[in-house]
Amino acid sequence: MKKTQTNFQKFLEIINAESYPTECIEWWGGKNSHGYGMVTFMMRPGLEGRMYVHRLALEISIGRQLEDGLLALHKCDNRVCFNPDHLYEGNQSQNVQDSHDRNRRASRKGSKHPLSKLTEKDVAQMILMSKDGCLQKTIASVYGIRQQTVSRIIRGERWTHV
């Protein structure tokens, strides 16, 4: 009878192979709440450790642990991919810049912010009302916001994209 391999044993077999496929190698085991593959292992009796699968794959492929502050970043934008050819080391600011460059970060600017009371159309109208001589206090009461918020919008400190 053939013994079944654990997810971790399958993982090691793939990572230790001579070459990798060109496509993503997707993790089939557990994932965290953000969708990244996770592996749990025994560090010593009574103490388990958890690690991102893609980080572990990169560390094994480069033959060393990543330095503090460095992350395993994906070239392929696939959170469950652990193909070492799709991974590279970088810091958090590189990760954020990469997500901006690839349009992966949802904009939370203006009306797209979950706590926004205004729309871009409202702000444009507020600016016109101010130019027409309407008091900031009056504008604030019309839109149900504070006068200070209106002042910051009119001065160009808030809603600068409008």
Side-chain angles (χ1 to χ4, degrees), residues 54 57-58 72-75 81-89:
H54 62 285
L58 182 60
L73 307 179
H74 287 94
K75 297 175 191 174
C81 177
F82 64 94
N83 185 336
D85 288 343
H86 294 194
L87 304 171
Y88 65 101
E89 56 186 301

Side-chain angles (χ1 to χ4, degrees), residues 15-153:
I15 292 302
N16 291 322
E18 291 296 314
S19 64
Y20 311 111
T22 56
E23 68 273 359
C24 291
I25 307 170
E26 295 188 349
W27 178 246
W28 51 88
K31 298 172 186 70
N32 70 6
S33 61
H34 299 287
Y36 289 95
M38 298 294 292
V39 64
T40 303
F41 52 91
M42 186 71 70
M43 295 170 69
R44 64 176 190 260
L47 182 61
E48 285 186 344
R50 286 178 52 96
M51 189 172 192
Y52 289 113
V53 172
H54 62 285
R55 181 182 181 101
L56 184 57
L58 182 60
E59 287 182 349
I60 290 171
S61 72
I62 63 176
R64 62 176 170 77
Q65 286 186 322
L66 296 178
E67 294 176 24
D68 285 345
L70 290 181
L71 309 169
L73 307 179
H74 287 94
K75 297 175 191 174
C76 59
D77 293 334
N78 183 351
R79 293 175 184 202
V80 293
C81 177
F82 64 94
N83 185 336
D85 288 343
H86 294 194
L87 304 171
Y88 65 101
E89 56 186 301
N91 60 36
Q92 182 59 27
S93 66
Q94 289 171 307
N95 196 26
V96 170
Q97 185 61 52
D98 182 53
S99 68
H100 281 293
D101 293 347
R102 297 183 197 196
N103 293 318
R104 287 183 318 215
R105 285 187 96 73
S107 173
R108 294 173 54 100
K109 189 182 278 189
S111 62
K112 293 179 181 176
H113 192 283
L115 300 177
S116 176
K117 293 181 180 180
L118 303 170
T119 66
E120 282 73 10
K121 186 176 178 181
D122 293 336
V123 171
Q125 186 62 40
M126 290 167 61
I127 294 168
L128 289 175
M129 290 169 73
S130 176
K131 286 181 180 177
D132 287 342
C134 192
L135 297 174
Q136 291 179 5
K137 183 178 177 181
T138 305
I139 297 170
S141 67
V142 168
Y143 289 96
I145 59 175
R146 298 177 350 167
Q147 178 272 325
Q148 291 90 339
T149 303
V150 174
S151 176
R152 288 181 180 126
I153 290 170

Side-chain angles (χ1 to χ4, degrees), residues 2 9 112:
K2 184 181 176 191
Q9 288 168 327
K112 293 179 181 176

